[in-house]
Amino acid sequence: MSITKPSLTVLAWGAAALTTLAAVMIFALAPEDADQGFSQKIFYVHVPIALTAYACFGLGAWKAYRLLATRGERYDLESYTGVHLGTIFGVLTLVTGAIWAKASWGVWWTWSSNQLVLFLVLFLFYCAYFMLRFSVEPGARRERISAVYALFGVALIPVSFFAIRLANDFIHPTVFTREGPQMTGEMFAAFCVSWASITLLAYVMYRVELAGKRIDANLRDLREALQP
Amino acid sequence: MSSGEKYVAAAYGVFVVVVLVWVAILATKLARLERETGELARLARARPAGEQADG
Amino acid sequence: MGEALLIRAAGLEKRFGSRSVFRPLSFDVSARGALVVTGPNGSGKTTLLRMLVGLAAPTRGTLDVALDRGRIGYVGHEPILYRELTALENLDLFGRLYRVPERRERIGMLLERFGLWEARAERVGTYSRGMTQRLALCRALLHEPDLLVLDEPHSALDDDGATLLDAELVSLAGSSALVVATHEPARLEALATQRLVLERA
Amino acid sequence: MTAYLADVAALARKDLKLELRARDTLPAMLLFVLSTLVVFHFALPADAGEDAAYGLLWVALVFTALLGLARAWVAEREAGALDGLVLAPSDRSAIWLGKSLATLAFLVAAELVALPAFVVFFAPLDASALVGVVLASIGICAVGSLVSAMAAAARGREVLLPLLFLPLAIPLVVGGVGASISPDPGTYLVFLGLYDAVFAILSWAAFEYVVTE
């Protein structure tokens, strides 16, 4: 691993510390929301996870671009890991979003919540990324095709967001509207710390998973070299 | 627990569970890697000295 | 030092997943050279040739070919033609893509020379393997390439097809570079300026 | 530039010639879109509103397009013809543009049958709906040609193509349906135009990386 990157242990401890701080602020410091009550606390985990998912998809796309621009072989694993983590956080967003919808509106799913629907579309899109990746022979061709698809994903995010907002104008008159909750100072502070901790956690997971995949690749080379 | 608290617990619970599952998957991968590096180390030691030169 | 170098390869490697196809290769081919590549099946001859024409990228090492794509002719294992199009239609399409001047005359002359004139309006799908191989040679020679890369060109040809090809190679040797992968190196003995023997990695 | 367009024209003409000779894609698309519309008639409850019919028109169009896209690169995969196009000196994006235009021609031909049939079977189509169909068809063929080229390099490509294509087609369906039923179709048509611009340029730039190493 290039030395310029902060060491993994420092990051891991940082993530652990930040997460505990966030938990304390969310449940002890931040006051309960006026109308939603205690269930509003889901906001502090749901929204940061969604933002982290976007960040992971963006990282995956950036690494894919680097692969295409510089033919650097190492970017393929990085792009793959980024998209993989993005998908995990995407699923988490869907699940926590559904729980929040149940808590505040009594329904597990609502088509009028633009963000939820967007993550459903992205989930379908990025599952197809893995289907594509596992059905092409390993090699330069697979790396480039996966990279192109990852780049399309990032273009799809804003386009789908507008499509869904446009769709909501005629599929369902918006029954459940929820503009961003009005946040007091402590709430916003708790949100920021929670966001930072989840982002850092995601980066640590990214670095750990990437290291695992790199060791796998090196082992294959080693085995080939040592095989009689 | 009121229904609100149940849902909050569920949301945070899911988050923690998913992270733990991810850790578990990494752990199994680590175990596999450990076993494989062991095998490779034996293979490397078992090779006759001569052949090691051209590696 | 001989003429300018057309192809320079140093430490060339190609890896599929974890399996590398051949040991690192280094060789040069001059503008009028003729490289004959031999080696058992699976030793990577086809992979090497596909790298030379730009259809495959080396995993490691450097390869530069001082020619742009339009100046290279290639005959591979696959005929690289449309089975549902006729010989004329195939050569017309590739002639346009390669911007061949006086396309019709050039196509007529090549089909005549390779004995395909009578079958010019029939779909390539109806051709025998030998006729398809001859048409593939026409396609590769259509734009008078400066570098001709042939992957076991004699394999599907009958006797007069093979002698036809040998005559063609002799006339080309003077004006352009050749790289030929073959199991019959004897046929190209006179032409060869360099030889490369591949073994399985 | 004219040489580039000449290459694109030659490639598109080749696809039309292949189709006229083999006649295996277009007739299938025409019959498929008609039979899908008939099936939808029975699928819709008697009192279903017109909006549902428009929605189903777009489902029929998308899956008809998928039929055409599944066959898009079959001729190139036979006998390594795609290598011939990749080896040619012309810019590789011309291969994509030629294929997109040919696929668009087949899709429009299928729509020339599907739209009148829809009007007869279900509900009228106004000008904005027709413009929506045209704009969406462009987007479908631009993205579809690229995505089917990706699937062509994979095992199990018939199954893979719809999975790769449908998420990307969702915005087109939204735009198309919106243009048909919304009182203010303008925003939907603008949205479709934006989609076409963004994804056509992206496909145009990315195609080279899908067919080369």
Side-chain angles (χ1 to χ4, degrees):
Chain A
M1 296 303 276
S2 53
I3 41 124
T4 54
K5 287 192 181 159
S7 87
L8 209 44
T9 39
V10 167
L11 288 170
W13 283 107
L18 257 179
T19 312
T20 33
L21 173 63
V24 165
M25 291 179 72
I26 290 170
F27 292 105
L29 181 66
E32 276 188 28
D33 182 74
D35 51 14
Q36 282 195 31
F38 190 70
S39 64
Q40 188 267 346
K41 299 285 184 190
I42 300 176
F43 158 81
Y44 295 106
V45 74
H46 169 65
V47 176
I49 286 177
L51 296 173
T52 308
Y54 289 136
C56 291
F57 291 140
L59 178 67
W62 166 248
K63 295 293 182 181
Y65 168 74
R66 296 289 293 157
L67 176 97
L68 296 178
T70 64
R71 280 186 190 276
E73 223 181 6
R74 60 194 212 47
Y75 292 122
D76 176 54
L77 280 182
E78 293 171 5
S79 174
Y80 174 41
T81 312
V83 168
H84 183 243
L85 263 177
T87 310
I88 292 174
F89 278 90
V91 169
L92 258 175
T93 309
L94 283 171
V95 173
T96 51
I99 295 172
W100 195 3
K102 180 72 176 168
S104 40
W105 304 316
V107 281
W108 286 109
W109 179 258
T110 161
W111 286 99
S112 62
S113 153
N114 291 355
Q115 200 192 46
L116 265 187
V117 176
L118 175 58
F119 268 93
L120 182 60
V121 171
L122 293 181
F123 172 71
L124 295 175
F125 180 84
Y126 281 105
C127 281
Y129 172 89
F130 298 104
M131 297 281 296
L132 174 63
R133 197 178 169 91
F134 299 141
S135 58
V136 178
E137 291 304 316
R141 199 68 182 288
R142 179 173 76 165
E143 291 169 8
R144 292 164 78 104
I145 289 180
S146 309
V148 167
Y149 195 80
L151 281 171
F152 266 70
V154 144
L156 186 65
I157 293 177
V159 167
S160 295
F161 186 78
F162 287 116
I164 293 160
R165 214 217 298 265
L166 284 174
N168 273 337
D169 293 350
F170 61 75
I171 290 182
H172 284 287
T174 44
V175 169
F176 313 106
T177 48
R178 183 190 52 189
E179 346 66 35
Q182 284 60 35
M183 286 192 286
T184 64
E186 300 91 353
M187 283 172 145
F188 185 67
F191 167 74
C192 289
V193 171
S194 171
W195 185 10
S197 75
I198 291 177
T199 306
L200 187 54
L201 172 69
Y203 183 64
V204 168
M205 289 168 77
Y206 167 79
R207 287 276 301 276
V208 168
E209 197 175 314
L210 187 59
K213 289 193 167 67
R214 287 241 165 86
I215 295 173
D216 244 338
N218 296 340
L219 261 177
R220 273 201 313 272
D221 293 354
L222 256 175
R223 186 176 308 122
E224 198 222 325
L226 287 173
Q227 215 68 32
Chain B
M1 266 171 84
S2 77
S3 76
E5 281 145 14
K6 252 199 324 228
Y7 289 125
V8 171
Y12 282 81
V14 160
F15 175 51
V16 169
V17 163
V18 165
V19 172
L20 291 181
V21 165
W22 179 85
V23 169
I25 293 173
L26 252 299
T28 48
K29 185 185 199 93
L30 205 60
R32 180 170 58 78
L33 291 179
E34 191 194 358
R35 194 165 24 82
E36 280 175 20
T37 39
E39 279 163 32
L40 281 181
R42 267 193 309 282
L43 253 174
R45 277 192 299 275
R47 277 152 48 105
E51 201 185 358
Q52 237 140 12
D54 62 28
Chain C
M1 227 279 279
E3 307 121 56
L5 288 182
L6 195 64
I7 303 174
R8 262 193 302 281
L12 217 51
E13 263 188 84
K14 179 69 177 178
R15 190 186 288 281
F16 290 106
S18 67
R19 201 175 48 76
S20 60
V21 178
F22 38 62
R23 293 193 183 290
L25 293 174
S26 300
F27 59 89
D28 298 333
V29 180
S30 68
R32 247 161 292 303
L35 170 67
V36 175
V37 181
T38 52
N41 288 333
S43 55
K45 297 198 296 294
T46 298
T47 307
L48 173 62
L49 266 58
R50 285 178 70 86
M51 276 201 270
L52 288 179
V53 297
L55 287 176
T59 312
R60 213 163 278 115
T62 59
L63 168 68
D64 49 65
V65 179
L67 273 178
D68 62 35
R69 290 199 305 270
R71 303 307 309 140
I72 299 177
Y74 175 61
V75 173
H77 277 302
E78 303 245 31
I80 308 182
L81 296 162
Y82 284 94
R83 291 200 193 287
E84 298 308 318
L85 291 180
T86 68
L88 273 179
E89 285 163 347
N90 266 294
L91 294 184
D92 184 67
L93 174 66
F94 286 107
R96 285 174 195 274
L97 295 179
Y98 279 87
R99 314 230 189 314
V100 173
E102 296 110 23
R103 197 173 50 244
R104 286 211 196 330
E105 295 74 18
R106 178 94 184 131
I107 291 174
M109 184 267 290
L110 276 170
L111 286 176
E112 189 79 45
R113 198 191 308 167
F114 278 87
L116 293 172
W117 181 252
E118 290 71 28
R120 63 189 182 287
E122 281 153 36
R123 280 185 312 106
V124 172
T126 62
Y127 278 23
S128 70
R129 258 193 87 222
M131 288 166 72
T132 308
Q133 181 78 352
R134 291 175 186 223
L135 186 60
L137 285 165
C138 294
R139 174 188 47 74
L141 296 165
L142 190 57
H143 52 298
E144 297 170 279
D146 295 335
L147 165 65
L148 191 60
V149 177
L150 306 174
D151 196 346
E152 291 171 22
H154 298 89
S155 61
L157 293 176
D158 52 22
D159 287 347
D160 53 20
T163 41
L164 205 88
L165 173 60
D166 290 342
E168 196 62 34
L169 294 183
V170 164
S171 68
L172 269 172
S175 61
S176 52
L178 287 176
V179 176
V180 186
T182 181
H183 284 308
E184 311 159 72
R187 292 190 85 93
L188 301 157
E189 206 42 49
L191 286 174
T193 60
Q194 279 140 291
R195 284 158 197 77
L196 185 62
V197 183
L198 301 183
E199 317 108 18
R200 255 186 231 108
Chain D
M1 186 53 189
T2 51
Y4 178 81
L5 293 179
D7 292 343
V8 170
L11 290 164
R13 255 205 321 280
K14 167 264 299 177
D15 282 312
L16 299 182
K17 194 180 293 179
L18 281 172
E19 179 51 31
L20 287 179
R21 184 163 298 164
R23 283 192 303 285
D24 51 14
T25 307
L26 194 51
M29 286 170 81
L30 300 182
L31 277 177
F32 178 85
V33 76
L34 274 181
S35 45
T36 315
L37 288 178
V38 171
V39 165
F40 285 157
H41 165 71
F42 296 109
L44 278 176
D47 56 4
E50 273 183 10
D51 292 359
Y54 289 111
L56 292 179
L57 168 66
W58 279 95
V59 171
L61 290 181
V62 164
F63 283 95
T64 306
L66 264 175
L67 212 63
L69 289 171
R71 300 213 31 87
W73 300 99
V74 165
E76 273 71 25
R77 266 207 330 277
E78 275 170 10
L82 183 61
D83 284 349
L85 303 184
V86 167
L87 280 171
S90 51
D91 191 274
R92 269 82 183 240
S93 58
I95 305 170
W96 164 79
L97 190 50
K99 187 62 73 175
S100 298
L101 293 177
T103 313
L104 184 61
F106 300 151
L107 187 56
V108 166
E111 283 158 3
L112 290 179
V113 167
L115 298 182
F118 178 85
V119 170
V120 169
F121 291 164
F122 294 99
L125 287 169
D126 56 13
S128 63
L130 294 180
V131 172
V133 167
V134 169
L135 282 176
S137 300
I138 293 169
I140 285 173
C141 292
V143 172
S145 299
L146 180 88
V147 157
S148 66
M150 286 185 186
R155 293 185 311 274
R157 54 186 69 89
E158 297 75 19
V159 175
L160 192 62
L161 177 61
L163 299 179
L164 299 176
F165 179 70
L166 287 175
L168 288 161
I170 289 174
L172 287 171
V173 170
V174 169
V177 171
S180 322
I181 61 175
S182 157
D184 156 32
T187 39
Y188 294 93
L189 294 178
V190 167
F191 173 72
L192 282 175
L194 276 177
Y195 181 98
D196 289 351
V198 167
F199 279 94
I201 289 168
L202 204 57
S203 306
W204 177 81
F207 184 77
E208 162 137 28
Y209 297 100
V210 168
V211 287
T212 56
E213 276 198 3

